[in-house]
Amino acid sequence: MAEELRPEDPRLVWKSQQLVPMEVNMQSMINRRTRELRARTRTEIIASICAALGFVSVAGWRFVTPGEWLLQTALGLFVIWTVISIYRFRNRIWGRDQIDPQVLAAPAVEHYRRELQERRDHLRSVWIWNGPLLLSFLFLILTIARKVAPNYVLLRNGLPFFVLTVVWVILMIRQHRLQAKELQQELDELGR
Amino acid sequence: MCLAREFDYLIVASESSTPAALTQQQLYDSAVAEFGPGIDRLACAWEGDQEKRRDLRQEIHFQIWRSLEVFDRRCSVRTWIYRVAHNTAVTWVTRERRFTASLVSLEEAEVALPNHSFEPDIDRTRSLERLSTLIHKLKPLDRQIMLAYLEDIELTAIAEITGLSAANVSMKIHRLKILLARNFFEEAANG
């Protein structure tokens, strides 16, 4: 606009405001996002293992009695899965996943792309989300249901808990799928 | 030639004379050189807290950099930059759940906000505070128009940035001029 602005004109006041200088360092921004992705992934792995352990512990401690070999076998399998998970993700859990210097020396964009791919794969991981965790949850639900079924009143009182828990699981799966889809879109954009 | 047009000229020239268009980084560096201060002022208008404002500014710059990878020249670079910046700020504030029922549109502000009749204020700091207070009361779309107006962006460009019709933007600019006049000086209402 070519018009002469008066000293008190809001446009002049607005454009002449003092700004705190901020260095824009794209590399450091990308690195920060990368660290945030890794921290979030680590938290979710730990939460997944702890949740499954929680389900199985409650079921095994309160509802599985000696002689129920099917339930005891299932309990044993989940314990084995937990141990394998802890071993398999031990570096991520304990924050010892040091990145190879050669990988670190890659351009920031390449590194960020790699992190996005890992994060996407983590969200799609059957081992962490869709398999044993869901099964341990089902195990808990069925065990509880089996015990309370003869007592109609208990079953009725427990129904809201079952329904809410199922809804929570469905929402969790859906949220992970949406996040994975968003990451894929971001990866597709980076890849162009 | 004004710098914004020169920037677009660089893109056109590169397309016609060289095989490869400007890289993402080149586009980003040029955008920051031209629009950096405007982007920083935009962040001030969306985030009052200084610490969070720094984060918002970084977020805007990051999103601009990302978006330039897929810049397809459907609009001018300035329009693209300001769209990304505004949308990033809106998302930021939305996720922080900062929007409250007390935000008003330009139309509502004409009626609802107190009618201050200030003398022209030679103290820029106080003027800026009043202006910022006014801006922070506006709803997102009207805030976007106000900021574009304050940055001296022409009406057609504001329409392109916001996606509104030129007539709609013109009406809103008329209202915001009245609003600014009531808060700053009398004659601006006739401008």
Side-chain angles (χ1 to χ4, degrees), chain A residues 112-128:
Chain A
Y112 185 55
R113 182 182 291 124
R114 192 173 295 108
E115 288 296 318
L116 285 178
Q117 285 167 341
E118 281 190 26
R119 175 75 187 153
R120 179 204 58 193
D121 295 343
H122 161 76
L123 289 169
R124 287 177 179 172
S125 169
V126 173
W127 182 268
I128 300 231

Side-chain angles (χ1 to χ4, degrees), chain B residues 164-178:
Chain B
L164 296 173
S165 66
N168 201 344
V169 171
S170 173
M171 185 190 67
K172 286 191 180 284
I173 288 178
H174 175 69
R175 288 188 191 278
L176 70 88
K177 281 181 178 176
I178 293 173

Side-chain angles (χ1 to χ4, degrees), chain A residues 84-152:
Chain A
I84 292 175
S85 294
I86 291 173
Y87 176 78
R88 183 175 163 183
F89 298 106
R90 64 192 183 286
N91 289 333
R92 286 230 160 183
I93 291 170
W94 305 119
R96 286 200 299 260
D97 50 342
Q98 296 297 324
I99 306 170
D100 186 332
Q102 292 285 351
V103 172
L104 270 179
V109 173
E110 293 302 318
H111 181 66
Y112 185 55
R113 182 182 291 124
R114 192 173 295 108
E115 288 296 318
L116 285 178
Q117 285 167 341
E118 281 190 26
R119 175 75 187 153
R120 179 204 58 193
D121 295 343
H122 161 76
L123 289 169
R124 287 177 179 172
S125 169
V126 173
W127 182 268
I128 300 231
W129 304 112
N130 298 338
L133 180 61
L134 270 186
L135 287 176
S136 66
F137 168 70
L138 281 174
F139 172 71
L140 172 67
I141 294 294
L142 288 173
T143 311
I144 296 174
R146 194 166 152 269
K147 292 290 178 180
V148 304
N151 187 330
Y152 171 73

Side-chain angles (χ1 to χ4, degrees), chain B residues 26-83:
Chain B
Q26 285 173 322
L27 275 173
Y28 171 75
D29 290 339
S30 300
V32 169
E34 164 61 10
F35 307 114
I39 292 167
D40 291 346
R41 287 190 290 266
L42 186 152
C44 291
W46 283 99
E47 181 55 71
D49 181 272
Q50 275 223 325
E51 284 299 316
K52 290 183 180 175
R53 188 184 304 159
R54 195 175 302 131
D55 289 342
L56 174 59
R57 282 158 83 176
Q58 298 237 349
E59 178 69 16
I60 290 173
H61 277 270
F62 180 76
Q63 295 300 342
I64 287 173
W65 175 82
R66 272 188 65 205
S67 73
L68 288 172
E69 175 71 15
V70 298
F71 176 57
D72 55 5
R73 293 169 181 75
R74 70 183 76 160
C75 59
S76 71
V77 176
R78 181 176 64 173
T79 297
W80 183 276
I81 297 296
Y82 274 104
R83 277 182 183 169

Side-chain angles (χ1 to χ4, degrees), chain B:
Chain B
M1 188 188 299
C2 87
L3 200 51
R5 299 230 172 94
E6 190 174 312
F7 184 16
D8 288 330
Y9 169 77
L10 282 172
I11 295 176
V12 171
S14 72
E15 283 177 324
S16 61
S17 61
T18 59
L22 289 177
T23 64
Q24 178 190 15
Q25 191 61 43
Q26 285 173 322
L27 275 173
Y28 171 75
D29 290 339
S30 300
V32 169
E34 164 61 10
F35 307 114
I39 292 167
D40 291 346
R41 287 190 290 266
L42 186 152
C44 291
W46 283 99
E47 181 55 71
D49 181 272
Q50 275 223 325
E51 284 299 316
K52 290 183 180 175
R53 188 184 304 159
R54 195 175 302 131
D55 289 342
L56 174 59
R57 282 158 83 176
Q58 298 237 349
E59 178 69 16
I60 290 173
H61 277 270
F62 180 76
Q63 295 300 342
I64 287 173
W65 175 82
R66 272 188 65 205
S67 73
L68 288 172
E69 175 71 15
V70 298
F71 176 57
D72 55 5
R73 293 169 181 75
R74 70 183 76 160
C75 59
S76 71
V77 176
R78 181 176 64 173
T79 297
W80 183 276
I81 297 296
Y82 274 104
R83 277 182 183 169
V84 171
H86 278 289
N87 293 340
T88 303
V90 169
T91 302
W92 169 274
V93 176
T94 305
R95 285 190 184 166
E96 296 253 325
R97 292 188 175 85
R98 292 298 190 84
F99 287 152
T100 66
S102 61
L103 292 181
V104 297
S105 66
L106 282 167
E107 292 78 8
E108 290 160 352
E110 272 187 86
V111 177
L113 293 182
N115 188 5
H116 296 292
S117 49
F118 289 103
E119 292 295 320
D121 200 333
I122 58 172
D123 183 345
R124 283 275 173 91
T125 307
R126 283 196 303 178
S127 295
L128 186 59
E129 277 174 18
R130 272 192 284 133
L131 186 54
S132 298
T133 302
L134 177 64
I135 290 170
H136 279 103
K137 284 191 164 71
L138 293 174
K139 288 181 178 173
L141 190 58
D142 291 329
R143 194 182 303 196
Q144 194 170 348
I145 295 171
M146 170 73 87
L147 292 173
Y149 171 76
L150 290 171
E151 292 290 336
D152 261 338
I153 295 174
E154 59 273 16
L155 188 148
T156 47
I158 296 176
E160 202 182 11
I161 290 169
T162 58
L164 296 173
S165 66
N168 201 344
V169 171
S170 173
M171 185 190 67
K172 286 191 180 284
I173 288 178
H174 175 69
R175 288 188 191 278
L176 70 88
K177 281 181 178 176
I178 293 173
L179 198 61
L180 289 172
R182 280 169 51 187
N183 282 271
F184 289 88
F185 51 84
E186 298 290 331
E187 291 80 1
N190 302 322

